[in-house]
Amino acid sequence: MIVSGKILVAQSGGPTAVINQTLAGIVLEARRFTQITKVYGALRGVEGIVNEDFLDLTQETSHNLEQVALTPSSALLSSRVKPDSKYCHEIFKVLKAHDIRYFFYIGGNDSADTARIVNEEAKAAKYNLRVIHVPKTIDNDLMLNDHTPGYGSAARFVTQAFMGVNLDVRALPGVYIGVVMGRHAGFLTASSAIARKYDEDGPHLIYLPERVFNLDQFLQDVKEVYDRYGFCIIAVSEGIADASGRPIVTSITREVERDAHGNVSLSGNCALGELLTDQIKEKLNIPRVRSDTFGYLQRSFFNCVSDIDQHEAREVGERAVQMAMWNDLDGSVTIKRTGNYSVDYVLEDFKDIAAQTRYMPDEFINEAGNNVTDAFKLYVRPLLGSGLQQPSWLRAPRVPKLIKNN
Amino acid sequence: MIVSGKILVAQSGGPTAVINQTLAGIVLEARRFTQITKVYGALRGVEGIVNEDFLDLTQETSHNLEQVALTPSSALLSSRVKPDSKYCHEIFKVLKAHDIRYFFYIGGNDSADTARIVNEEAKAAKYNLRVIHVPKTIDNDLMLNDHTPGYGSAARFVTQAFMGVNLDVRALPGVYIGVVMGRHAGFLTASSAIARKYDEDGPHLIYLPERVFNLDQFLQDVKEVYDRYGFCIIAVSEGIADASGRPIVTSITREVERDAHGNVSLSGNCALGELLTDQIKEKLNIPRVRSDTFGYLQRSFFNCVSDIDQHEAREVGERAVQMAMWNDLDGSVTIKRTGNYSVDYVLEDFKDIAAQTRYMPDEFINEAGNNVTDAFKLYVRPLLGSGLQQPSWLRAPRVPKLIKNN
């Protein structure tokens, strides 16, 4: 028997291009059940819950929900608060006061832990509450998921960015470093490999947090590529670290901060790119070197979305509601790959997802640790969706020279 | 009577998303004339001409030319060489040796000067050569043009970027600075204004090279916006300068470079954003501040193109050929606005375009010098093309609080 009551949905952490598909999936599916008396959305994640900042989404139109679904970034806004047990207790008090019987929390691995604690609070209080954690992250680092909603679209952005960079650098050659989001897991940076169409195309080198970064080896790699092609394109995760696990950006800037003028901070998000640029210029004597740090654009850029990602983000929302209501279950919705290419959704235990990070498996990274394997490319390609435009080069024959000898 | 002979086309300077539309326009139109014996494309602009690195584009398929037309960045590669008279003389020698009778040079204001000199060389040598300069630049800074091919698509990128940033910052509030290309002219940075849909939307402040940048005023502006909304989004041209015309990034870094460790260079392309970020953090005591420098992505990002821009880039190429061949004229093709929204193409004198920069007119910039006017928004909107997606916010009513008093 389906329990009557209200639904509460909230979004957590960094935004993605498809997080509102999940919101729409939850709300539209929930509104089909007569047992659901209201569907509330909390503004600003857990902060909104403890403050009772709720929108009554039962009074939102389907049309606008569909428009919101197509809008990137968290429509319910977000929060970076990581609730401890005390905070979760406050959350539970509010849920109870409002007769919330179903709590859907869209977020990454931290939010899975919040969901777990709130679920335990309810059990301890003998309060009938279904809690479902719904996956979301551009980093693709949730355990037990083949991939996560938000990753495919961000990967599409990175791929399109490097496709354009390939052409730009080919037109005016030099060395280019693109710094991509990814503190612990390199999935997003790795997706840049799909940008390669022609033999000369980059990124020629890909550096991920899963491998120890060695500056001397890096410079050697760059020199080898540059000597062969006359240019070199590199994709680097922002989280690359040395053998002791210390992020490269801090290990190189340490000296500088001591010497520099008191007011100067080199902890800006561009620091890694700038540092690698300087190293290449000085140690390899290459004049044209530049870096771009992709920043916020990777996760909210308009009109850059994978249709596969959109559909799956919608589906995890719908399945979350169906699992909670038809099956009376708690847990974390996960995506499993069932074919090439198809998926299904399975509910897993909170504790197997919460506060853990999934890393790039060894079979996705080459032996030298500076590129990805074909296995990875086959893994990631479907996630980028359809209609991915590729570049075309001219193919016309050369004209014989008349003045200069060949 | 149409002179028989060969055509040579070359591309110059920074790439755009539609520069190959112009190439395709020239080649496909030219191939319709029986008087044209060959259509050559020079690889790497003027460097390719003096080296006779030519592709025979008469042997390129129409299908591939159309695919190349959809590909951003210079298909004929590019060069940043600025030819002096001696260099232009070498160029002319090659054109003469190959019986080139029509030279189409796609580029910005520098290339208009090169076209002018080559044209004069030919006249002095009594060699029948039509030279047409064909406009291209994302900066929109060519004189006598209402706007230039490449600008609309880059402006669309900037607009979409700030639309996403608006949502991202609204979800997790703070101060955000987007540094946009634009050394001398602020047209591209100004286009970010189209990102505003809702009252709270940014960019709230827009700083262009056409106005003196005052750091104290800047901080005051930011504080005012931040106090009102709890967040602030700023668009800044990379070329903003102080009252003496010195770029801000050098006037603030001067001290630092003297003190810092010998190896450190703060001349990376992120320096301006990082410096403004530091100033806001220290002087306004705002903790969440970040900047992104959009870099190369603005001009070659795949799948971000204005259809209006595509069509006009194609048309300036076709008209260039038609003007040269049917009318036996030399000059620079310019775009004039004839209605809202329509354009026509007029051939102007090289010397009126060459080596000059068009700036944002006063009526496009507000009095305080930190925003743009409605006149500008009406000017730029058609150039961004159709199908520009906008964000949608939720509109559901608030739920009354039960525990906390309002």
Side-chain angles (χ1 to χ4, degrees):
Chain A
M1 199 194 82
I2 296 181
V3 174
S4 239
K6 299 193 193 70
I7 275 182
L8 176 68
V9 54
Q11 294 169 321
S12 149
T16 80
V18 296
I19 190 174
N20 297 326
Q21 289 287 350
T22 306
L23 172 64
I26 291 169
V27 177
L28 291 169
E29 185 68 11
R31 293 183 345 176
R32 305 199 302 133
F33 288 85
T34 53
Q35 298 89 339
I36 295 303
T37 55
K38 285 282 189 183
V39 179
Y40 289 168
L43 288 168
R44 298 202 182 288
V46 288
E47 293 180 62
I49 300 178
V50 297
N51 279 330
E52 298 177 84
D53 288 320
F54 297 159
L55 297 181
D56 183 356
L57 297 176
T58 340
Q59 298 193 60
E60 178 58 274
T61 66
S62 332
H63 166 75
N64 201 41
L65 276 168
E66 290 296 351
Q67 294 301 110
V68 168
L70 293 170
T71 302
S73 199
S74 311
L76 289 175
L77 311 182
S78 195
S79 167
R80 286 213 179 272
V81 165
K82 295 198 206 310
D84 54 13
S85 301
K86 189 160 175 289
Y87 204 106
C88 289
H89 183 69
E90 295 302 308
I91 290 173
F92 175 65
K93 274 169 63 180
V94 171
L95 300 187
K96 191 156 173 241
H98 283 270
D99 192 38
I100 306 293
R101 295 294 173 173
Y102 303 89
F103 175 38
F104 299 96
Y105 196 28
I106 308 167
N109 44 21
D110 292 330
S111 56
D113 211 32
T114 303
R116 178 185 64 77
I117 300 175
V118 171
N119 187 232
E120 284 166 6
E121 284 264 349
K123 284 181 178 150
K126 295 197 185 359
Y127 178 82
N128 206 335
L129 173 70
R130 294 284 63 79
V131 181
I132 305 281
H133 170 253
V134 196
K136 166 238 81 167
T137 175
I138 64 170
D139 294 321
N140 203 36
D141 62 353
L142 293 188
M143 300 292 288
L144 304 185
N145 282 268
D146 177 85
H147 58 277
T148 56
Y151 172 61
S153 299
R156 188 181 175 104
F157 180 94
V158 170
T159 296
Q160 290 185 320
F162 275 93
M163 279 182 177
V165 163
N166 278 339
L167 297 167
D168 224 322
V169 174
R170 191 169 165 260
L172 291 166
V175 178
Y176 179 96
I177 304 162
V179 181
V180 182
M181 277 181 167
R183 286 263 163 78
H184 308 290
F187 290 98
L188 191 53
T189 307
S191 67
S192 59
I194 302 301
R196 294 184 209 132
K197 173 175 172 177
Y198 299 98
D199 286 346
E200 288 174 40
D201 276 343
H204 307 92
L205 301 164
I206 302 177
Y207 298 94
L208 311 170
E210 286 87 347
R211 291 291 179 268
V212 170
F213 183 85
N214 182 293
L215 186 60
D216 293 329
Q217 184 61 55
F218 169 78
L219 292 168
Q220 197 175 310
D221 292 345
V222 172
K223 182 179 188 336
E224 197 186 302
V225 172
Y226 188 82
D227 287 347
R228 189 183 329 153
Y229 295 123
F231 56 90
C232 181
I233 295 155
I234 308 152
V236 165
S237 290
E238 58 183 14
I240 51 169
D242 61 21
S244 67
R246 197 170 56 175
I248 294 303
V249 67
T250 57
S251 61
I252 301 181
T253 57
R254 182 173 291 243
E255 285 184 34
V256 177
E257 281 178 312
R258 274 204 298 268
D259 297 339
H261 188 273
N263 291 359
V264 170
S265 146
L266 278 177
S267 57
N269 58 297
C270 290
L272 178 59
E274 306 277 270
L275 289 161
L276 295 177
T277 297
D278 288 344
Q279 291 288 324
I280 293 173
K281 277 180 175 169
E282 292 163 35
K283 306 239 171 100
L284 300 182
N285 229 339
I286 296 172
R288 276 185 63 90
V289 188
R290 79 166 279 146
S291 75
D292 283 329
T293 301
F294 293 172
Y296 274 13
L297 304 187
Q298 292 160 92
R299 59 190 198 191
S300 308
F301 189 79
F302 263 70
N303 270 353
C304 182
V305 69
S306 155
D307 49 1
I308 291 287
D309 195 12
Q310 281 180 305
H311 293 142
E312 292 179 2
R314 174 71 63 116
E315 289 191 322
V316 292
E318 287 183 18
R319 287 300 285 134
V321 171
Q322 292 166 358
M323 285 167 179
M325 302 200 61
W326 290 120
N327 302 286
D328 208 32
L329 294 166
D330 305 306
S332 181
V333 180
T334 64
I335 303 178
K336 312 294 189 191
R337 189 176 304 214
T338 54
N340 188 20
Y341 175 76
S342 59
V343 296
D344 200 357
Y345 306 96
V346 172
L347 201 64
E348 300 276 10
D349 228 301
F350 294 121
K351 60 170 169 49
D352 296 325
I353 312 282
Q356 295 175 76
T357 300
R358 175 173 170 240
Y359 299 97
M360 284 270 283
D362 290 341
E363 57 265 29
F364 283 175
I365 307 174
N366 70 342
E367 270 203 60
N370 60 11
N371 222 316
V372 299
T373 58
D374 288 351
F376 173 76
K377 289 187 219 170
L378 287 170
Y379 159 81
V380 81
R381 182 57 188 90
L383 310 183
L384 270 47
S386 66
L388 192 63
Q389 186 196 356
Q390 278 195 307
S392 287
W393 290 4
L394 289 169
R395 272 179 325 202
R398 286 296 193 104
V399 174
K401 300 189 187 198
L402 299 177
I403 301 177
K404 295 183 162 50
N405 299 339
N406 263 16
Chain B
M1 197 196 81
I2 295 179
V3 174
S4 240
K6 300 195 193 68
I7 276 182
L8 177 67
V9 56
Q11 294 168 323
S12 148
T16 79
V18 297
I19 191 174
N20 297 327
Q21 289 287 350
T22 305
L23 173 64
I26 291 169
V27 176
L28 290 168
E29 186 68 10
R31 295 187 339 181
R32 305 199 300 133
F33 288 83
T34 51
Q35 297 90 337
I36 296 304
T37 53
K38 284 284 190 184
V39 180
Y40 289 167
L43 288 169
R44 298 204 181 289
V46 289
E47 294 179 60
I49 301 179
V50 299
N51 280 331
E52 299 179 84
D53 288 320
F54 296 158
L55 296 181
D56 184 356
L57 297 176
T58 338
Q59 299 194 58
E60 178 57 273
T61 66
S62 331
H63 166 74
N64 202 40
L65 277 168
E66 291 296 353
Q67 294 301 111
V68 169
L70 293 171
T71 301
S73 203
S74 311
L76 290 174
L77 312 182
S78 194
S79 167
R80 286 212 179 273
V81 165
K82 296 197 203 314
D84 55 11
S85 300
K86 189 159 175 292
Y87 205 105
C88 287
H89 183 69
E90 294 304 306
I91 290 173
F92 173 65
K93 273 169 64 180
V94 171
L95 299 188
K96 192 156 174 241
H98 283 268
D99 192 39
I100 306 293
R101 296 295 172 174
Y102 302 89
F103 174 38
F104 298 96
Y105 196 28
I106 309 167
N109 45 20
D110 290 331
S111 55
D113 212 32
T114 302
R116 179 183 64 75
I117 299 174
V118 171
N119 188 229
E120 284 165 8
E121 285 264 349
K123 283 183 179 149
K126 295 195 184 358
Y127 177 83
N128 205 338
L129 172 71
R130 296 283 64 80
V131 180
I132 306 280
H133 170 253
V134 196
K136 167 238 79 169
T137 174
I138 64 169
D139 293 319
N140 203 37
D141 62 353
L142 292 187
M143 300 293 286
L144 304 186
N145 281 268
D146 177 85
H147 56 277
T148 56
Y151 171 61
S153 298
R156 188 181 176 103
F157 180 94
V158 171
T159 297
Q160 290 186 321
F162 275 94
M163 278 182 179
V165 163
N166 278 340
L167 297 167
D168 224 321
V169 174
R170 192 171 163 257
L172 290 166
V175 178
Y176 179 95
I177 305 162
V179 182
V180 183
M181 276 180 169
R183 286 261 165 77
H184 308 291
F187 290 98
L188 191 53
T189 307
S191 69
S192 59
I194 302 302
R196 292 185 210 130
K197 173 174 171 178
Y198 299 98
D199 285 346
E200 288 173 41
D201 276 343
H204 307 93
L205 300 164
I206 301 177
Y207 298 94
L208 310 169
E210 287 87 347
R211 292 291 179 267
V212 169
F213 184 85
N214 181 293
L215 187 60
D216 292 327
Q217 184 61 54
F218 168 78
L219 291 168
Q220 197 176 310
D221 292 346
V222 172
K223 183 181 187 331
E224 197 184 301
V225 172
Y226 188 81
D227 286 346
R228 189 183 330 155
Y229 295 122
F231 56 90
C232 179
I233 294 155
I234 308 152
V236 165
S237 289
E238 58 184 11
I240 52 169
D242 62 19
S244 66
R246 196 170 56 173
I248 295 301
V249 66
T250 56
S251 60
I252 301 181
T253 57
R254 182 172 292 243
E255 285 184 36
V256 178
E257 280 178 313
R258 273 205 298 269
D259 298 339
H261 188 276
N263 294 359
V264 170
S265 147
L266 276 177
S267 57
N269 59 299
C270 290
L272 178 59
E274 306 277 270
L275 288 160
L276 294 177
T277 297
D278 288 343
Q279 290 288 323
I280 293 172
K281 277 180 175 169
E282 292 163 36
K283 305 241 171 97
L284 299 183
N285 230 338
I286 296 173
R288 275 184 64 89
V289 187
R290 78 165 281 146
S291 76
D292 282 330
T293 301
F294 292 173
Y296 275 12
L297 304 186
Q298 292 160 95
R299 58 190 198 192
S300 307
F301 188 79
F302 262 70
N303 272 351
C304 184
V305 69
S306 156
D307 50 0
I308 292 287
D309 195 11
Q310 281 179 308
H311 293 143
E312 292 179 3
R314 175 69 65 112
E315 289 191 320
V316 293
E318 288 182 16
R319 287 300 285 134
V321 172
Q322 291 166 356
M323 285 168 181
M325 302 200 63
W326 289 122
N327 301 284
D328 209 31
L329 294 168
D330 304 305
S332 180
V333 180
T334 63
I335 302 178
K336 312 293 189 194
R337 189 176 305 214
T338 55
N340 188 17
Y341 176 75
S342 59
V343 296
D344 201 356
Y345 306 96
V346 171
L347 202 63
E348 301 275 10
D349 227 300
F350 295 121
K351 61 171 172 46
D352 296 326
I353 313 283
Q356 295 174 76
T357 300
R358 175 174 171 239
Y359 299 98
M360 285 270 281
D362 290 340
E363 57 264 28
F364 283 175
I365 307 174
N366 70 343
E367 270 201 62
N370 59 12
N371 222 316
V372 299
T373 58
D374 288 349
F376 174 76
K377 290 187 219 170
L378 286 169
Y379 159 81
V380 82
R381 182 58 188 90
L383 311 181
L384 272 47
S386 66
L388 192 63
Q389 186 197 355
Q390 279 195 309
S392 287
W393 290 5
L394 289 169
R395 274 179 324 202
R398 285 296 192 106
V399 174
K401 301 190 188 198
L402 300 178
I403 303 179
K404 295 181 161 49
N405 297 341
N406 265 13

